[in-house]
């Protein structure tokens, strides 16, 4: 369902409300069938103009910082969870005003802040501890929280069962873009190592990385795994995906600024891998472009590059049925998650505008300018 995006000023992210709605429908089915709670991880997708729509279905948000917590609290106003590898003393009081669930990365961190939480008269905050089950199936080291000597979560060897007083939940996050068979194998290890502590918990948080809204995702295995943990230990189960909420819901529309040749055809776009799709370089991965194929499959192949002066600001090689012309629009797919939240203004390159499309058409809701650039510097 690609609408006519030719009218938007480029570069521009366009996120489609109906596509978000179809993802939410799948997530809602999981919630209804298992009575679990699903949170939006703002780290992956923080487009707050859609929070009212998302909040109609999901239980709330999870955050990784004070700012994300505040954004979720102010713009969605449902449950606000937080996990950070370490909290700063100077931010903690404010964090407690927004968050109802605080997950700690270590027992020393929990000890440091537990009295503050107990003594806060504002609200009842539930604490959790993140564990590292030392099992993951992620192949890319920078996305693997269980690589050797990882700082993320408490291993069984470091687990302090005599310091669990006041801890309501256990949290693990060991997956990335994975299917439910990975979850099932992970849960086996988690249960074997930490299951004996589950009985005294109120909730278990399965983290993110569940690619629930992908077309080949096996919902039954997820549903059975949640039901198994819920009934065996009498706990609530939380999932906190980011990507699954926004998967395949957004596009980045860009224009061709110039076409040059250096042993092959090169096109320079008004977008940038380094600034506007950093995971293309970091992950790395190759985004799909509507109407384009792999190099050589269509007659005209181009290397698409960004408008920064970083030599490696390359999106990739693509082939097209017709030669590209200056001014042509290219529509990159699946650009809603881990783009806007990771953007930067390297080279002083402006950020893409942000638009929402729905049955009424496409509406640009945010444009950026020099002030946005200048305000981050001094
Ligand atoms: C990144 C992250 C998430 C969200 O992961 P997705 O891959 O976007 O689903 C959830 N929880 C924690 C702790 C994370 O670090």
């Amino acid at each position: 369902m690609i609408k006519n995006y030719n009218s938007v000023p480029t570069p521009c992210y366009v996120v489609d409300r109906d596509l978000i709605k179809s993802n939410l429908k799948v997530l809602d089915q999981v919630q209804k069938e298992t009575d679990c709670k699903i949170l939006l991880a703002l780290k992956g997708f923080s487009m707050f103009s859609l929070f009212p729509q998302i909040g109609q279905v999901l239980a709330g948000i999870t955050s990784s910082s004070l700012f994300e917590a505040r954004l979720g609290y102010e713009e969605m106003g449902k449950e606000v969870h937080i996990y950070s590898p370490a909290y700063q003393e100077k931010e903690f009081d404010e964090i407690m005003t927004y968050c109802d669930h605080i997950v700690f990365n270590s027992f020393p961190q929990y000890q440091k802040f537990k009295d503050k939480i107990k003594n806060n008269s504002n609200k009842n905050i539930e604490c959790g501890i993140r564990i590292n089950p030392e099992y993951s199936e992620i192949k890319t080291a920078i996305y693997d929280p269980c690589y050797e000597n990882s700082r993320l979560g408490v291993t069984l060897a470091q687990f302090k069962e005599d310091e669990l007083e006041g801890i309501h939940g256990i949290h693990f996050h060991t997956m990335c873009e994975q299917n439910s068979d990975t979850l099932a194998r992970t849960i086996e290890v988690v249960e074997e190592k930490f299951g004996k502590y589950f009985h005294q918990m109120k909730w278990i948080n399965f983290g993110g990385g569940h690619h629930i809204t992908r077309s080949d995702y096996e919902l039954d295995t997820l549903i059975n795994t949640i039901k198994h943990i819920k009934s065996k230990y009498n706990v609530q189960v939380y999932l906190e995906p980011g990507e699954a909420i926004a998967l395949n819901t957004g596009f980045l529309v860009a224009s061709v600024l110039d076409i040059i040749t250096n042993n092959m055809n090169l096109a320079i776009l008004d977008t940038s891998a380094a600034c506007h799709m950093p995971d293309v370089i970091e992950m790395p991965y190759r985004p799909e472009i509507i109407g384009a194929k792999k190099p050589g499959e269509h007659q005209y192949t181009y290397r698409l590059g960004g408008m920064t002066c970083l030599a490696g600001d390359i999106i990739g090689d693509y082939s097209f049925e017709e030669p590209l012309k200056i001014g042509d629009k290219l529509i990159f797919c699946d650009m809603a998650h881990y783009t806007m939240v990771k953007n930067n203004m390297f080279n002083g390159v402006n950020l893409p505008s942000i638009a929402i499309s729905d049955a009424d058409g496409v509406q640009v809701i945010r444009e950026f300018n020099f002030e946005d650039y200048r305000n981050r510097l001094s």
Side-chain angles (χ1 to χ4, degrees), residues 224-241:
N224 292 336
T225 306
I226 297 170
K227 283 184 174 166
H228 160 74
I229 294 294
K230 274 185 77 101
S231 62
K232 183 163 171 193
Y233 300 100
N234 189 28
V235 287
Q236 177 57 283
V237 166
Y238 284 101
L239 307 178
E240 47 177 34

Side-chain angles (χ1 to χ4, degrees), residues 41 43-44 83 130 171 173 176-177 207-210 240-244 338:
K43 186 184 80 187
Y83 158 78
R130 175 167 175 174
H171 175 286
H173 171 74
C176 180
E177 299 186 337
H210 315 276
E240 47 177 34
E243 195 158 319
Y338 292 105

Side-chain angles (χ1 to χ4, degrees), residues 283-309:
M283 195 95 177
Y285 82 104
R286 176 191 158 87
E288 293 293 323
I289 298 175
I290 292 169
K293 289 193 170 171
K294 292 199 178 108
E297 289 187 8
H298 283 313
Q299 194 178 346
Y300 303 97
T301 294
Y302 295 82
R303 178 160 298 169
L304 304 180
M307 62 201 303
T308 71
C309 44

Side-chain angles (χ1 to χ4, degrees), residues 63 65-75 80 94 98:
S63 56
S65 60
L66 168 64
F67 290 172
E68 283 187 358
R70 178 173 170 181
L71 189 72
Y73 177 84
E74 292 181 350
E75 303 292 338
V80 178
E94 196 182 341
Y98 306 130

Side-chain angles (χ1 to χ4, degrees), residues 172-271:
F172 66 90
H173 171 74
T174 60
M175 291 170 54
C176 180
E177 299 186 337
Q178 279 157 323
N179 212 317
S180 49
D181 57 322
T182 299
L183 175 67
R185 289 188 290 271
T186 304
I187 282 285
E188 255 183 61
V189 178
V190 168
E191 256 197 288
E192 191 185 309
K193 290 187 171 170
F194 296 94
K196 55 179 179 283
Y197 306 117
F198 284 13
H199 297 282
Q200 60 195 100
M201 295 297 152
K202 208 170 150 185
W203 45 268
I204 308 295
N205 186 322
F206 290 5
H210 315 276
H211 240 191
I212 303 171
T213 49
R214 199 172 74 198
S215 57
D216 66 343
Y217 189 87
E218 293 284 345
L219 278 179
D220 286 350
T221 307
L222 172 68
I223 287 168
N224 292 336
T225 306
I226 297 170
K227 283 184 174 166
H228 160 74
I229 294 294
K230 274 185 77 101
S231 62
K232 183 163 171 193
Y233 300 100
N234 189 28
V235 287
Q236 177 57 283
V237 166
Y238 284 101
L239 307 178
E240 47 177 34
E243 195 158 319
I245 284 101
L247 192 65
N248 288 316
T249 62
F251 305 88
L252 174 58
V253 188
S255 298
V256 176
L257 295 180
D258 198 12
I259 293 166
I260 52 180
T261 304
N262 180 5
N263 295 319
M264 71 179 291
N265 288 324
L266 310 167
I268 299 175
L269 310 182
D270 63 357
T271 185

